[in-house]
Amino acid sequence: MSAAPRPPLVGTPVPRKEDPDILRGQARYTFDIELPDMLHVAVYRSPAAHARIRGVDLSKALALPGVVTGLTGAQVRRLGYVNPLSPFPFQSRDPFRRGNPTIKFFDHYCLAWDKVRFVGEPVAAVVATDRYIAEDALDLIEVELDPLPPVVDSAAALEPGSERLYEDWDDNVMLTFRVSGGDVDAAFKEADVIVRETIHSGRFTGTPIETRAVVADYDASVKTLSLWSTTQIGHAIGTLVENTIALPGLKVHVNFRRIGGGYGQKWAFYPEEILVPLLSILTNRPMKWVETRREHMTGTIHAREQTHHIEAAVRRDGTILGVKDRIVANIGAAYPTGGLASIVTTGMFVPGAYRIANYEGQVQGVVTNKTPYGAHRGFGKSEACFVIERMVDRIAANLDLDPVELRRRNFVPPDAFPYRSVTGPRYDSGRYEEALDKALGLLDVDHWRAAQREAAAEGRYLGIGTCLVIEPSSSTRMGSYNAGYYSVRMRMDPNGKVYVFPGGSDEGQGHATSISQLVGDELQVSFDDVMVVEGDSLACPYGSGSYSSRFSVVGTTAVTLAARALREKATQIASVMLRHPPGGLVFAGGQVSVEGRPAEAVSLSEIARVAYFYPFQLPEGMDPGLETLYHFRDPNIEFEADERGRVAMFSSFPYDAEAAVVEVEADTGLLKILKFVSVHDCGNMLNPLIVRGQHVGALAHGFGGALYEELPYSKEGQPMAATFKDYFLPTAMEMPEMVLEHIETPNPFTPGGFKGAGETGTVGPPAVLANAVEDALKPLGIAVRRLPLTPQYLWSLIQEAQGGR
Amino acid sequence: MSDKAKIRITINGVVHEREAPPRMLLVDYIRDVVGLKGTRYGCDTSNCGSCTIVMDGRSAKSCTFLAVQADGREVTTIEGLAEGSALNPLQAAFQEAHALQCGFCTSGMVMSAHALLAHNPAPSVEEIREGIIGNLCRCTGYVPVIEAVQAAARRLDPKGGTP
Amino acid sequence: MYPAAFDYSVAESVDHAIDLLQRHEEGAKLLSGGQSLVPLMKLRLVQPTHVIDIGRLGGLSDVREDATAGVVRIGALATHAQVGASTVVREKLPLMTEAAGVIGDAQVRGWGTLGGALAEADPAGDWGPVMQALEGRVECTGPSGIRVVEAASFFVDAYTTVLADDEMITGLQVPVPSKGSAGAYLKMERRAGDFAVASVAVQLELDGAGNCTKAGVALGAAGLTPIKAVAAEEALRGQPVAQETVEAAAERVMEAANPLADVRGSSDYKRAVCGALFWKAVDMALRRHRGETVKGGHVR
Ligand SMILES: Cc1cc2nc3c(=O)[nH]c(=O)nc-3n(C[C@H](O)[C@H](O)[C@H](O)COP(=O)(O)OP(=O)(O)OC[C@H]3O[C@@H](n4cnc5c(N)ncnc54)[C@H](O)[C@@H]3O)c2cc1C
Ligand code: FES
Ligand code: FES
């Protein structure tokens, strides 16, 4: 028997163990759950943007054969044990403990009762024996609404006389936040030039292909509510359900094992997560609700819509002395979705990859009659990077400098890491200039500059853009359940198999594979002998779920350290079994042996059996069993902000240098990406196959937001893109040819050196493509100030510049 | 109105004859009446392709058919591809290329690719892209899917393969 | 989302289908490929009381040349894919091959039919402008037999045609353009698989001297119905296809366009796109006339 350690799994492109079930069609998602006697829920949603509810009449709907029951907002309030939706993530009103940010809340129930405040807001529910009949019943619901003036535009919402969404508020501002560092006034005094811009990011969102679904099964005999939900935060949902449905003695079990993509949209607490359980409690029957895509496009959070009024103080040589940014986010109705924190994050990260010593950010979250705002892959950082990367190019244009030079001049240099940013976060590591140089090399700038000149001679518009975006990951926020740790339970069973119960959830990231690699290496067991059980609120330790790429940072660390704890205990047991001190033992190949004497060995299952079945053989004072619960606390964060709002609330800082060549067709505004390069640094790569997959997927998401995806509203507050017919998700055809490279600068704060890998790609494309477009249209002297870069937008810029119609 | 109709569909080689109202969509017949949950749905407007099956040799969005329209036809779903416990070459190529993440779109994506390769055993990259535009994926960015289909084409037809 | 309830019958023949239509009048809907009807029924934008499935009628999906009549005859149930793959169409009506390739996606093309597409009369549909540019005709069969309607006068309004409640499309007749003809169909899309932002079909007949002897120009997604740009055709006819002629014709194209604003673009923008696509399509047609191989179809 050889005990040589086998080649490591970590760092290699192991194919995923999740895949065979999915590829055979055996994988089960929430909407696949079938329970005996299950009923089906359909939700009546507001057709109006803003109106007072005069009455909701379900009588005709209830008379339809097959309809079992129904519910209105007024009825929910009369039940007596249902609270308003608990603010997410049971966030203290003052997360940084200094009255900054300020947040207002409103008592929204799972069904609207006084007013409706956006198209798509749930107003009533019907329950029937099948989904077809439930939808028939929707058509029979009669709702009387008194229209109110819609508030759609954030600037208009801020005007003193504006209609208010919440009458007991004194304005339409839900959140304000200020952060500053250095001496901004001095910087602006010292400046040679001040560059001012107004830059806008469009409303766009995650749209997982799996819409949301909730299944609830209340068993009155044991007062247990079993809940299946498409959520990234199952543990928190359990707590929130307990808060909201205040039935004494109610036990809640949340299942969220297989989620069909999240991207932040499933990182929220939704009314249906109360509504469906409530209907199950009221009828004592299992209930299922599956969101239609139309419901999804209006009833599930949107993101990104922000306007930045930004000013930069610069020296003539391009040094950025200081930046002031006033950020207004159009956040829709004030649902307690939590993702609102993304606008605080934007305020924190406007300085981006640059050493900007003086900065002041002011953030306002303004409520409007649009779908509530929340988390979305790139969480606030995407908007921040778009703005600063746009500004760098605008500054370069103003000073007639090369934007690449300007970037170099202002980058945080490699020897400054860990780098404390002006807003407080501690950037872990990075080699920005090197990454950008590599990207430019791969692009072949000289070739494309020549092509650009040739094109110009023919009256065509070719442009080159660059950007370097950071994507701070693994966030932590004071007073929320997002408290900067990750828990994992790990058990080696008597057969030597390792069961891992992480406190997160998987929406497609391949946690089971990554965990099996880590545990396989640490415990020297085979990849197949690691069993991962995730997404069960009662089987797994309490955890904050999946978001902010935290699995790669804190999750992997918790898993590694848990495995090391098990290994330590197993070694101690082996030491007793082999009568040899632990120091001279070799842990490899599924066994523990005495160094140099491979015949003197015990297998892991022999060790485990002793741990479980022969506890009297264990060393003095050792507990039986081979199981551990491990909590890892993120070392690179702080919990409390200082008086200027500064706090280290993200712990790892992956980044991406991108370069692109585009051609813009003047007569149609069509944009073609001729070449696209990304040089990504997410630290060490646990599984290069998965990292590449995450990155390419994120880039696709980024192209979507840069060029195609938008959630426009009419003046009346009607959503114009309420189906996949009108919301343009990119297809395979829209993906450009890409040159992808990685460099690896390890995260010094974690044993594996990993950083988040799945979001950076979302951030860069808007910036790099906008920069390339502006370069292409330089002969016309236009400035790009908004997203998405639709053909119509580019066409209208060209028309304006040419003085056309 | 809407009395039940008897609908007979051969799915993955097995004849299923069940009653269903005429308004029942084929996807629901497959999922809820027959119980094959591998075919999924993700939109209301026939855009996402998660529900793609192969019917009489052509790829079809099963959410865009009434079950009665499939009466008498032959349907293959994702469950009908694997040979025993082993993945078929296309499925295996998907795993090797990491052409799936959350997996929600995957059944439809694989079925579209399957139909494409049946008609065109050696598609070019452009033809592969064209062949899957009816299938939206939010996770993979499609690049690995294209690679998987290329690899499968090479494996299924070593002489062919894509440029 | 799910259709409201309805009664369903399978038509055994064209006569049977028409008989069923007569019996059920306004509440009845024919079902061919279902690629437009089923999604609309799911959204409950259409709620027929009776669905008549004509999708399996035999003999209605042939594509063949009728040399004596100088036309290609296409059965109403021919699918987009079938037309796209047809050799007769490729040789005689390459404009249609080009159009067949830009409709929706593989799944839609495999099942959606030309009859269904024309009857649907989606303002952004692709077959309308193509049929108009080619001067195609629609065979409408009713209780008293067949009447043949020019594509140019087939469309009445958005989603509305001249078809009576008891009529169905049984086929199309598309005149084969003369040897010296060339054309192009260009459709701009926001993303692959989507309906047109705007589209332009151009078919030019040129004499040896390069003069345009006949022009077919039609626009899609440029108004409530497909628009045959007759003034543009006139501007081209009898002229050498040179800069000024095309400029004048492009002006006419933009005048003819009256697009509806939506998420794909404003009315002004789409009008400009019609003009731009027209320029490209004429250029492409001329190059094809000279024997060059150029890729048309999608503009995205
Ligand atoms: C995702 C998607 C993308 C699409 N993209 C495009 C596109 O880019 N361009 C485009 O042009 N189209 C597009 N379509 C529509 C497609 O072309 C449809 O196939 C076509 O419009 C309808 O054909 P069908 O046979 O499916 O008709 P059905 O859906 O069966 O019927 C459509 C309508 O026509 C009536 N009808 C059907 N057959 C007849 C007949 N023979 N006589 C009289 N009335 C009849 C029906 O009663 C119904 O009102 C798309 C559809 C989808 C789902
Ligand atoms: S469910 Fe989206 S196309 Fe069928
Ligand atoms: S793998 Fe998640 S949508 Fe395609």
Side-chain angles (χ1 to χ4, degrees):
Chain A
M1 230 195 290
S2 152
R6 52 165 170 66
L9 292 164
V10 169
T12 64
V14 187
R16 300 198 320 169
K17 54 165 54 176
E18 290 87 345
D19 295 355
D21 283 350
I22 299 174
L23 284 163
R24 275 199 211 92
Q26 306 300 340
R28 291 291 167 267
Y29 296 80
T30 306
F31 80 151
D32 291 324
I33 306 235
E34 299 288 353
L35 299 168
D37 292 327
M38 189 154 76
L39 296 173
H40 299 268
V41 181
V43 180
Y44 180 96
R45 290 170 189 274
S46 173
H50 199 190
R52 194 166 300 285
I53 300 173
R54 283 285 164 235
V56 181
D57 184 355
L58 299 183
S59 54
K60 287 195 185 126
L62 294 175
L64 188 73
V67 174
V68 176
T69 189
L71 197 63
T72 65
Q75 287 172 333
V76 169
R77 277 165 54 88
R78 278 200 298 274
L79 287 173
Y81 56 86
V82 182
N83 293 322
L85 301 176
S86 183
F88 173 96
F90 20 98
Q91 192 156 18
S92 60
R93 284 169 196 244
D94 187 6
F96 296 161
R97 288 201 182 164
R98 290 185 188 272
N100 177 30
T102 64
I103 306 177
K104 295 174 195 151
F105 287 111
F106 177 76
D107 286 350
H108 279 283
Y109 285 80
C110 61
L111 294 171
W113 57 279
D114 61 335
K115 276 169 68 166
V116 287
R117 295 180 176 84
F118 61 97
V119 173
E121 180 168 12
V123 174
V126 280
V127 173
T129 48
D130 77 42
R131 292 173 289 152
Y132 288 69
I133 297 173
E135 264 189 32
D136 293 344
L138 283 188
D139 291 344
L140 300 173
I141 295 177
E142 291 169 331
V143 176
E144 201 188 325
L145 297 174
D146 268 358
L148 294 165
V151 182
V152 182
D153 180 64
S154 56
L158 282 174
E159 307 239 317
S162 168
E163 178 77 15
R164 269 172 291 142
L165 265 76
Y166 302 94
E167 281 117 28
D168 52 347
W169 295 8
D170 46 16
D171 55 21
N172 284 320
V173 180
M174 181 180 184
L175 179 146
T176 64
F177 173 64
R178 287 166 170 279
V179 59
S180 65
D183 187 342
V184 183
D185 292 339
F188 274 77
K189 278 202 199 91
E190 195 190 323
D192 297 326
V193 179
I194 293 173
V195 180
R196 293 190 176 84
E197 285 294 344
T198 296
I199 295 172
H200 181 80
S201 285
R203 196 166 251 257
F204 118 83
T205 192
T207 63
I209 305 301
E210 177 197 47
T211 57
R212 291 187 299 118
V214 179
V215 175
D217 183 15
Y218 178 64
D219 181 345
S221 67
V222 286
K223 268 201 145 180
T224 298
L225 174 69
S226 300
L227 183 63
W228 289 258
S229 184
T230 51
T231 179
Q232 294 169 243
I233 46 163
H235 294 280
I237 294 301
T239 310
L240 292 162
V241 169
E242 286 170 10
N243 288 353
T244 309
I245 303 179
L247 281 178
L250 179 70
K251 298 188 255 325
V252 181
H253 181 190
V254 188
N255 303 278
F256 48 110
R257 294 215 185 108
R258 191 185 290 280
I259 310 300
Y263 326 109
Q265 273 196 303
K266 294 172 182 167
W267 191 79
F269 175 39
Y270 284 104
E272 297 84 359
E273 287 168 323
I274 295 303
L275 176 64
V276 180
L278 207 51
L279 288 166
S280 179
I281 290 168
L282 290 169
T283 55
N284 214 1
R285 293 199 37 195
M287 273 311 140
K288 172 147 90 179
W289 167 76
V290 182
E291 186 183 52
T292 68
R293 180 58 60 183
R294 223 159 128 114
E295 287 181 286
H296 181 89
M297 296 309 291
T298 54
T300 293
I301 55 175
H302 294 173
R304 295 282 203 272
E305 186 172 0
Q306 293 183 359
T307 306
H308 290 241
H309 306 279
I310 184 167
E311 297 172 65
V314 287
R315 272 210 204 100
R316 209 165 300 286
D317 70 356
T319 309
I320 304 174
L321 299 171
V323 170
K324 282 194 252 187
D325 193 5
R326 189 168 73 78
I327 302 161
V328 179
N330 183 329
I331 61 171
Y335 260 47
T337 61
L340 188 55
S342 65
I343 68 179
V344 171
T345 306
T346 302
M348 285 278 184
F349 289 110
V350 167
Y354 305 101
R355 187 139 68 165
I356 295 171
N358 307 295
Y359 169 75
E360 184 184 295
Q362 278 186 51
V363 181
Q364 279 181 310
V366 179
V367 292
T368 59
N369 295 118
K370 292 188 180 181
T371 293
Y373 195 89
H376 179 197
R377 200 176 196 174
F379 199 81
K381 296 154 279 188
S382 190
E383 301 89 305
C385 285
F386 178 65
V387 165
I388 192 68
E389 290 301 310
R390 231 19 324 274
M391 272 310 269
V392 169
D393 273 39
R394 293 304 304 141
I395 294 167
N398 270 275
L399 298 175
D400 207 14
L401 292 173
D402 174 5
V404 171
E405 252 332 287
L406 206 92
R407 286 190 167 77
R408 281 189 221 285
R409 200 156 297 171
N410 291 286
F411 275 147
V412 176
D415 58 7
F417 290 95
Y419 166 78
R420 171 73 89 165
S421 141
V422 61
T423 58
R426 206 158 38 216
Y427 293 18
D428 62 335
S429 65
R431 290 178 283 161
Y432 298 156
E433 187 167 0
E434 188 182 327
L436 186 60
D437 282 341
K438 189 159 189 171
L440 291 168
L442 290 166
L443 189 77
D444 193 352
V445 182
D446 295 343
H447 166 81
W448 287 107
R449 283 291 173 214
Q452 186 178 33
R453 284 189 295 273
E454 271 170 43
E458 295 167 19
R460 291 184 300 121
Y461 298 102
L462 224 75
I464 300 175
T466 53
C467 75
L468 193 138
V469 296
I470 60 167
E471 210 298 321
S473 54
S474 196
S475 68
T476 291
R477 207 159 273 111
M478 176 78 202
S480 78
Y481 81 97
N482 172 8
Y485 67 92
Y486 204 100
S487 305
V488 61
R489 197 155 60 78
M490 197 176 293
R491 171 196 301 159
M492 181 176 283
D493 78 359
N495 293 323
K497 292 188 175 179
V498 183
Y499 279 79
V500 184
F501 306 85
S505 62
D506 187 298
E507 294 82 41
Q509 302 92 326
H511 288 175
T513 297
S514 299
I515 289 172
S516 300
Q517 289 178 264
L518 290 162
V519 172
D521 280 1
E522 290 295 336
L523 295 179
Q524 291 287 301
V525 292
S526 84
F527 182 73
D528 293 336
D529 280 344
V530 183
M531 312 290 164
V532 177
V533 180
E534 196 174 15
D536 181 326
S537 71
L538 297 186
C540 301
Y542 200 85
S544 65
S546 275
Y547 55 92
S548 198
S549 308
R550 64 194 312 92
F551 175 75
S552 328
V553 185
V554 279
T556 58
T557 307
V559 167
T560 301
L561 298 180
R564 286 184 189 166
L566 273 194
R567 176 179 167 137
E568 172 63 28
K569 183 168 181 182
T571 308
Q572 282 179 25
I573 299 171
S575 156
V576 175
M577 294 169 75
L578 293 166
R579 296 173 213 285
H580 196 91
L585 297 179
V586 178
F587 199 109
Q591 61 178 25
V592 180
S593 59
V594 177
E595 193 168 1
R597 302 206 292 269
E600 287 178 44
V602 283
S603 70
L604 292 179
S605 66
E606 284 166 337
I607 297 172
R609 278 174 202 188
V610 168
Y612 289 101
F613 307 144
Y614 303 89
F616 49 86
Q617 291 183 5
L618 295 177
E620 255 320 289
M622 182 184 277
D623 286 333
L626 208 43
E627 178 160 345
T628 185
L629 174 62
Y630 198 93
H631 308 279
F632 175 69
R633 287 172 69 161
D634 201 328
N636 192 27
I637 45 157
E638 293 162 353
F639 287 99
E640 246 181 296
D642 70 10
E643 72 289 345
R644 297 180 71 177
R646 293 178 294 200
V647 63
M649 62 174 195
F650 283 78
S651 77
S652 97
F653 295 76
Y655 58 92
D656 199 19
E658 292 173 14
V661 184
V662 304
E663 177 165 357
V664 180
E665 198 177 73
D667 53 356
T668 57
L670 272 175
L671 176 148
K672 279 201 179 63
I673 302 175
L674 304 182
K675 186 159 183 185
F676 183 89
V677 178
S678 149
V679 176
H680 183 205
D681 184 353
C682 57
N684 292 340
M685 287 193 268
L686 202 170
N687 182 328
L689 195 62
I690 292 182
V691 167
R692 176 178 180 264
Q694 287 287 319
H695 190 52
V696 173
L699 286 168
H701 215 125
F703 292 125
L707 305 178
Y708 305 104
E709 297 175 46
E710 192 178 15
L711 291 157
Y713 279 77
S714 73
K715 285 196 299 294
E716 296 74 33
Q718 289 293 329
M720 319 270 283
T723 67
F724 268 177
K725 195 165 177 249
D726 294 319
Y727 185 76
F728 305 119
L729 236 62
T731 74
M733 205 52 93
E734 277 69 49
M735 291 301 286
E737 292 293 333
M738 294 186 280
V739 182
L740 305 176
E741 282 272 352
H742 275 89
I743 62 175
E744 298 185 46
T745 315
N747 177 343
F749 295 103
T750 57
F754 315 126
K755 308 177 186 181
E759 297 188 77
T760 323
T762 330
V763 179
V768 75
L769 296 176
N771 290 348
V773 165
E774 197 168 288
D775 186 55
L777 300 180
K778 210 171 180 177
L780 299 172
I782 62 103
V784 176
R785 297 197 168 94
R786 58 181 304 130
L787 289 173
L789 308 168
T790 62
Q792 175 173 335
Y793 172 50
L794 302 188
W795 173 82
S796 62
L797 286 176
I798 296 166
Q799 290 287 302
E800 259 170 57
Q802 294 176 336
R805 280 162 291 180
Chain B
M1 193 155 94
S2 76
D3 284 345
K4 289 202 169 180
K6 192 163 265 172
I7 302 170
R8 183 190 162 95
I9 311 177
T10 306
I11 304 180
N12 304 328
V14 180
V15 179
H16 296 270
E17 187 166 328
R18 305 286 177 80
E19 302 244 302
R23 66 164 162 167
M24 178 175 276
L25 301 172
L26 178 56
V27 64
D28 293 329
Y29 185 92
I30 293 170
R31 285 173 51 82
D32 299 342
V33 178
V34 178
L36 292 171
K37 300 278 192 195
T39 302
R40 297 185 255 279
Y41 56 91
C43 73
D44 326 310
T45 48
S46 307
N47 290 100
C48 76
S50 323
C51 60
T52 302
I53 55 163
V54 172
M55 182 154 69
D56 288 354
R58 284 176 267 169
S59 62
K61 294 175 180 169
S62 60
C63 75
T64 313
F65 287 84
L66 304 172
V68 282
Q69 287 177 275
D71 187 31
R73 297 191 191 265
E74 296 246 357
V75 163
T76 308
T77 69
I78 188 72
E79 289 92 345
L81 291 191
E83 292 132 16
S85 64
L87 299 179
N88 85 355
L90 178 62
Q91 292 168 312
F94 263 66
Q95 183 182 20
E96 282 154 30
H98 187 27
L100 60 150
Q101 290 181 25
C102 79
F104 198 83
C105 74
T106 304
S107 301
M109 195 65 91
V110 170
M111 293 316 289
S112 274
H114 177 72
L116 170 71
L117 292 177
H119 292 278
N120 180 358
S124 67
V125 168
E126 204 54 22
E127 286 167 337
I128 297 172
R129 285 177 191 257
E130 183 59 52
I132 58 170
I133 59 174
N135 294 79
L136 298 175
C137 173
R138 194 49 143 168
C139 292
T140 63
Y142 306 102
V143 175
V145 175
I146 296 166
E147 290 164 353
V149 179
Q150 285 181 288
R154 276 194 295 271
R155 202 165 309 171
L156 290 163
D157 178 8
K159 294 183 301 298
T162 55
Chain C
M1 302 182 81
Y2 312 102
F6 52 82
D7 283 329
Y8 172 83
S9 5
V10 177
E12 312 288 344
S13 65
V14 171
D15 287 348
H16 184 210
I18 288 164
D19 182 49
L20 288 167
L21 278 176
Q22 279 186 301
R23 267 195 276 153
H24 298 284
E25 291 189 349
E26 272 163 46
K29 274 273 175 198
L30 297 174
L31 174 70
S32 293
Q35 301 300 295
S36 291
L37 185 58
V38 174
L40 288 170
M41 285 170 61
K42 283 166 71 181
L43 297 171
R44 301 199 177 196
L45 295 173
V46 176
Q47 301 197 11
T49 55
H50 202 110
V51 169
I52 304 162
D53 192 345
I54 57 171
R56 295 159 198 260
L57 287 181
L60 278 188
S61 52
D62 292 350
V63 179
R64 61 187 172 81
E65 187 181 8
D66 179 343
T68 23
V71 298
V72 173
R73 295 184 184 276
I74 300 174
L77 290 180
T79 63
H80 310 305
Q82 217 183 321
V83 171
S86 153
T87 355
V88 175
V89 173
R90 188 178 306 276
E91 279 166 15
K92 304 293 171 184
L93 301 164
L95 195 67
M96 289 190 78
T97 309
E98 189 150 279
V102 303
I103 292 176
D105 48 49
Q107 293 97 314
V108 169
R109 290 198 289 272
W111 295 93
T113 67
L114 267 67
L118 290 168
E120 179 62 22
D122 191 305
D126 292 299
W127 288 121
V130 170
M131 290 297 290
Q132 290 189 343
L134 290 171
E135 307 199 319
R137 298 182 285 273
V138 186
E139 295 173 2
C140 310
T141 304
S144 47
I146 301 182
R147 65 180 173 125
V148 178
V149 181
E150 294 287 335
S153 45
F154 180 72
F155 301 97
V156 175
D157 201 343
Y159 307 103
T160 313
T161 68
V162 297
L163 281 171
D165 283 347
D166 56 4
E167 276 183 317
M168 66 178 270
I169 300 176
T170 43
L172 314 176
Q173 306 170 359
V174 193
V176 176
S178 70
K179 272 262 177 305
S181 277
Y185 182 63
L186 292 178
K187 171 193 182 193
M188 180 167 159
E189 293 170 351
R190 278 294 278 122
R191 65 114 196 258
D194 188 28
F195 281 89
V197 175
S199 70
V200 172
V202 167
Q203 183 74 31
L204 304 178
E205 197 180 86
L206 299 157
D207 65 13
N211 291 329
C212 175
T213 46
K214 189 174 172 197
V217 179
L219 319 176
L224 293 170
T225 65
I227 293 169
K228 193 161 200 288
V230 181
E233 293 173 347
E234 272 162 18
L236 288 170
R237 194 163 35 229
Q239 304 293 324
V241 188
Q243 179 84 11
E244 311 85 80
T245 338
V246 183
E247 221 156 75
E251 279 302 316
R252 302 287 116 76
V253 161
M254 300 218 280
E255 279 161 24
N258 186 17
L260 305 174
D262 64 8
V263 287
R264 290 164 187 78
S266 66
S267 185
D268 282 349
Y269 174 64
K270 290 182 178 184
R271 187 176 299 112
V273 170
C274 287
L277 293 183
F278 175 73
W279 271 102
K280 285 184 213 290
V282 170
D283 177 58
M284 211 169 267
L286 292 178
R287 284 162 66 190
R288 284 173 173 169
H289 185 69
R290 290 196 296 268
E292 282 179 48
T293 313
V294 272
K295 200 173 157 337
H298 294 292
V299 177
R300 60 189 173 203

